[in-house]
Each structure stands twice: as C-alpha cells, then as structure tokens.
C-alpha cells in the first residue's frame, strides 16, 4: 500500500491520478489532497477518498469547504502552510506534484526535504530551481519520477542502458493547434483557438503553453536537470500524431522510443507503480490503424518561445526562473483577453532583455527571481497597453 499526497488534486493531472488510484484501492491510500478554488470537485474527492488532510487556497475557502462537509471531516488548512503540511504529512510515502506553475516549487521542495518520493508533474519546479532541487534529491536519497509524458518516455527509453552511452535526448511535440498557421494568422489567434488542442486534454495554462511551444521549452529545461544532459544534446521534433512520446538516441545509432495513445494516465500510473505496471484505462495502441508517423523540425520563427527557453537555459542562473515568471504573467493576460497571442513571446523576450542573470543559492532566492520576473512582466505589459 502506497500512501499518497496529491498536490493539485482538482487539476487535470490530479483528476487523472485519482482515477488511477480509484482503479487500484489495494495499492494506494490517499493521505492528503490540495486544491485551489474548485471546492465542489474537492468535496467529491474527499467523500470518495477520505483523506486525513486537505488544503485550499484561502481561509475563506477553507471555512466554506468545512461548512459543506457532513459527518467526519479531514483537517482543513489553507495557503502555503497547508500545501507544506500536505506535502510533508507523516504517513505520506509519495507526493504527486501537480500544481500548475511556480506555485508548486515550495511544497515540492518541502516534500523532498521531508524524505518523500515525488511523482513530478510540475515542470516549473525544475525550470526555476533545477540545480537546487536535484541537490536536495541526492542529499535526501529520494526518487523523482517524471510524470510529463515526454520525460516519462525518456525515462523508460533509458531503462537498461548506461548514461554515458546516450548521444542525445529527442523530445517530441505535437505542434499544438497552430502547427500549420502562418505568422500573420497567429497574431490574430483567439483564446478559443489556443485552447483547441488536437490531441491532449489539459488545463488552460499548459494548453496555451503547448500552442506557443513554451511548454516544450520548459520541458527542455526540465530534461536537462532530470537526466543530467547538456542543452546541446536535447533536441525537439514536431510529431503531430503524439504517438511517439519521446526518444533517446545512443552512440551506436540506436534509437529507443516509447509509444502509446495520448493519455496522461499512462505516465501517471508508471510513476506511481515503478518499477511495476498496472492497467490504468489507457486504450491499446493499434499501429495498423495509423496512416503514418511524421516528424518535423520546429519553426522558431513562428514559435519564438521555444528559442527563448533554450536561450534562458544557456544563460543559466536566474534567467530560467525569470523567463518562466514572465510567461505565466503573459499567459494569464492572454487568457483574460488583455493581450494577443504573439504578445506572449514578445513579453517574455522583453523581460529577459531587462534581466541580468545572477546565481541562486536558495529557494527564497529563486522566489525573489520569480517575483522580479512577474513584476517586470506586468510593467512591460502596462507600458504596451
């Protein structure tokens, strides 16, 4: 029996995680759940999984949740304190880190320092603080299991092979809804257009990141830290079918790949049960039903966010944290209808141009870089509106 904390239980990854858990009650017990504002769904999850602890965004939401629950209630907390309490709960043996954005950094770091294994779906944790997080993982001798489909595919493609034999890692990208759009058309893309992903069902922020290809840029940075691979040996291929989830090329020319239908329950289940596997509701892959598998080079002229992520990784130090913060503010503004789609990479580029990278020695310094990036992005957007 594995005791779980799910950070971000009402988001798309959290919901899929709990579907896997519900299918295998003999293997998992839910100790703690955290959510932001979706109290109705959280209430249903509490009734189904009976956690000991839950945490929500604010004190008011905690009171509202408590009033809505009948019978025996879990301990209800809120804010960062609640997130940390859930991540470090004594009975928890694995934390599923599925909070969207840089908000996931502090509780994920707390879980690692408390000696918990982590199933990592929050890529921003490694984007903003990769060197610090990996130092913590080594210090506490815990396991960090990738939940992103691409990194899970790389993880599986490395199994049984020596790291020194890897030539490069190839991350695949669907190309999103704008794969075949020209620059002029992209300038007029609407929120509805950006959220219309052809293959994956995800939350709004990550779906917009997929449309801009910033999501793939974040995954490049994440891969650098997860697999200790230098940036020049991490490539991106556009693969519109989303069947080959990523590949590892070895020095003898062999390429190992992981294939499957696009369904996040697959990588979630693998992270939860490694080194075993369980049935998780993913449909079998019928290769004979496919018309073909295609691969293309990404166009960074139309999708400059990918290049910005590479640039941030090469600059190093505080630049990835600042880039990520600027992206979160720009995406938030786009989703609110305040800026156009191509203003997202423009905003990120302007913030990065204003930033001088500096070394980060603590999580607090990472958070300060994040705050600077957010503040500067708002100033940049304010000056253009």
């Amino acid at each position: 029996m594995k005791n779980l904390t799910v950070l971000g239980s009402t988001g798309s990854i959290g919901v899929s995680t709990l579907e896997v858990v519900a299918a295998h009650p003999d293997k998992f017990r839910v100790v703690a759940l955290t959510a932001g504002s979706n109290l109705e769904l959280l209430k249903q999850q509490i009734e189904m999984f009976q956690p000991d602890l839950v945490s929500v965004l604010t004190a008011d939401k905690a009171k509202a949740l408590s009033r809505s629950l009948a019978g025996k209630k879990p301990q209800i907390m809120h804010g960062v304190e609640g997130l940390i309490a859930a991540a470090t709960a004594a009975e928890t043996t694995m934390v599923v880190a599925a909070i969207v954005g840089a908000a996931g950094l502090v509780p994920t770091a707390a879980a690692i320092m408390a000696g918990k294994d982590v199933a990592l779906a929050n890529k921003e944790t490694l984007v903003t603080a990769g060197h610090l997080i990996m130092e913590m993982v080594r210090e506490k001798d815990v396991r960090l299991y990738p939940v992103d489909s691409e990194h899970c595919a790389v993880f599986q493609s490395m199994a049984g092979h020596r790291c020194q034999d890897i030539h490069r890692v190839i991350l695949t990208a669907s190309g999103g809804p704008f794969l075949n759009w020209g620059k002029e058309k992209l300038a007029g893309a609407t929120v509805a257009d950006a959220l219309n992903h052809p293959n994956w069902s995800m939350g709004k922020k990550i779906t917009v990141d997929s449309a801009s290809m910033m999501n793939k840029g974040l995954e490049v940075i994440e891969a650098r830290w997860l697999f200790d691979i230098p940036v020049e040996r991490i490539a991106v291929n556009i693969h519109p079918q989303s069947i080959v989830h990523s590949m590892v090329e070895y020095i003898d020319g062999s390429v190992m790949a992981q294939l499957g239908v696009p369904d996040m329950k697959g990588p979630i289940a693998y992270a939860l049960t490694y080194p075993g596997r369980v049935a998780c509701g993913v449909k079998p892959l019928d290769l004979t039903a496919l018309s073909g598998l295609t691969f293309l080079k990404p166009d960074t002229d139309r999708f400059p966010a990918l290049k910005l992520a590479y640039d941030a990784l090469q600059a190093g130090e505080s630049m990835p944290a600042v880039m990520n913060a600027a992206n979160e503010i720009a995406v938030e503004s786009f989703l609110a209808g305040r800026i156009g789609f191509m203003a997202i990479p423009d905003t990120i580029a302007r913030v990065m141009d204003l930033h001088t990278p500096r070394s980060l020695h603590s999580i607090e310094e990472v958070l300060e870089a994040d705050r600077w990036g957010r503040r500067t992005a708002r100033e940049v957007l304010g000056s253009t509106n």
Side-chain angles (χ1 to χ4, degrees):
M1 182 70 71
K2 190 168 287 186
N3 293 334
L4 303 177
T5 284
V6 182
L7 303 175
S9 67
T10 59
S12 60
I13 295 295
V15 169
S16 294
T17 297
L18 293 177
E19 288 178 9
V20 174
V21 169
H24 298 280
D26 59 319
K27 296 184 182 298
F28 307 108
R29 173 177 174 259
V30 175
V31 173
L33 298 172
T34 79
S37 302
N38 192 343
L39 299 189
E40 188 55 41
L41 178 54
L42 179 59
K43 179 184 174 183
Q44 295 172 22
Q45 294 174 344
I46 292 169
E47 291 170 350
M48 183 170 185
F49 296 101
Q50 298 291 303
D52 300 327
L53 168 68
V54 298
S55 180
V56 291
L57 193 60
T58 65
D60 287 345
K61 292 188 185 301
K63 291 175 184 175
L65 178 64
S66 181
R67 288 194 299 268
S68 72
L69 293 173
K72 184 183 176 183
K73 299 177 184 180
Q75 181 183 2
I76 301 175
M77 300 182 69
H78 67 275
V80 174
E81 182 182 355
L83 291 175
I84 293 173
T88 60
E91 290 188 40
T92 293
T93 53
M94 174 177 276
V95 173
V96 180
I99 295 174
V100 175
L105 171 60
V106 169
T108 303
I112 294 168
M113 293 306 292
K116 314 297 186 184
D117 289 339
V118 174
L120 185 67
N122 172 266
K123 59 178 66 66
E124 290 84 358
T125 291
L126 289 181
V127 168
T128 60
H131 65 296
L132 295 173
I133 293 296
M134 296 314 292
E135 285 174 10
M136 293 177 189
V137 167
R138 288 188 289 270
E139 176 189 341
K140 294 298 180 179
D141 193 26
V142 300
R143 298 299 300 267
L144 197 61
Y145 298 103
V147 169
D148 268 347
S149 61
E150 296 82 0
H151 302 94
C152 183
V154 171
F155 183 47
Q156 294 180 69
S157 298
M158 291 173 65
H161 300 276
R162 301 187 306 175
C163 291
Q164 61 263 40
D165 293 337
I166 296 173
H167 175 56
R168 61 176 179 155
V169 166
I170 305 167
L171 303 177
T172 58
S174 68
F178 301 145
L179 175 60
N180 297 311
W181 286 39
K183 287 183 73 174
E184 289 186 7
K185 191 176 180 182
L186 282 170
T190 67
V191 171
D193 292 330
L195 295 178
N196 187 29
H197 198 285
N199 300 336
W200 293 95
S201 175
M202 305 176 289
K204 288 185 178 181
K205 194 267 181 183
I206 191 173
T207 304
V208 173
D209 282 350
S210 178
S212 72
M213 289 205 68
M214 176 52 81
N215 188 54
K216 204 54 50 180
L218 298 177
E219 288 173 1
V220 168
I221 301 173
E222 185 181 9
R224 182 266 172 270
W225 295 111
L226 268 176
F227 306 116
D228 196 23
I229 300 286
V231 59
E232 60 272 13
R233 288 166 54 196
I234 306 172
V236 172
N237 282 183
I238 303 296
H239 171 51
Q241 295 82 15
S242 296
I243 296 298
V244 178
H245 296 301
S246 278
M247 298 168 274
V248 177
E249 182 181 28
Y250 291 90
I251 55 177
D252 63 354
S254 299
V255 177
M256 300 294 170
Q258 188 264 330
L259 285 69
V261 299
D263 187 329
M264 284 305 301
K265 290 194 292 293
I268 290 167
Y270 191 70
L272 293 182
T273 62
Y274 179 85
R277 294 180 186 267
V278 294
C280 56
V282 176
K283 288 193 260 184
L285 174 61
D286 182 1
L287 290 171
T288 65
L290 300 175
S291 58
L293 300 175
T294 54
F295 300 89
L296 309 163
K297 290 183 178 179
D299 182 348
T300 54
D301 183 48
R302 288 188 297 130
F303 300 100
L306 178 60
K307 183 178 184 301
L308 290 172
Y310 271 100
D311 291 345
L313 180 55
Q314 288 170 328
E317 299 185 312
S318 56
M319 189 63 85
V322 165
M323 177 213 68
N324 179 73
N327 178 65
E328 290 193 20
I329 295 301
V331 170
E332 178 185 286
S333 295
F334 171 70
L335 285 170
R338 293 192 293 267
I339 64 173
F341 181 73
M342 293 307 292
I344 297 173
D346 289 347
T347 301
I348 298 166
R350 290 183 63 185
V351 172
M352 289 174 64
D353 286 343
L354 292 168
H355 185 63
T356 301
R358 57 183 177 80
S359 298
L360 300 175
H361 304 288
S362 67
I363 296 297
E364 180 50 45
E365 289 184 1
V366 174
L367 295 175
E368 177 52 39
D370 175 80
R371 288 190 288 267
W372 185 94
R374 290 170 189 275
R375 185 169 61 248
T376 305
R378 291 189 182 101
E379 292 170 358
V380 164
L381 288 170
S383 68
T384 58
N385 290 338

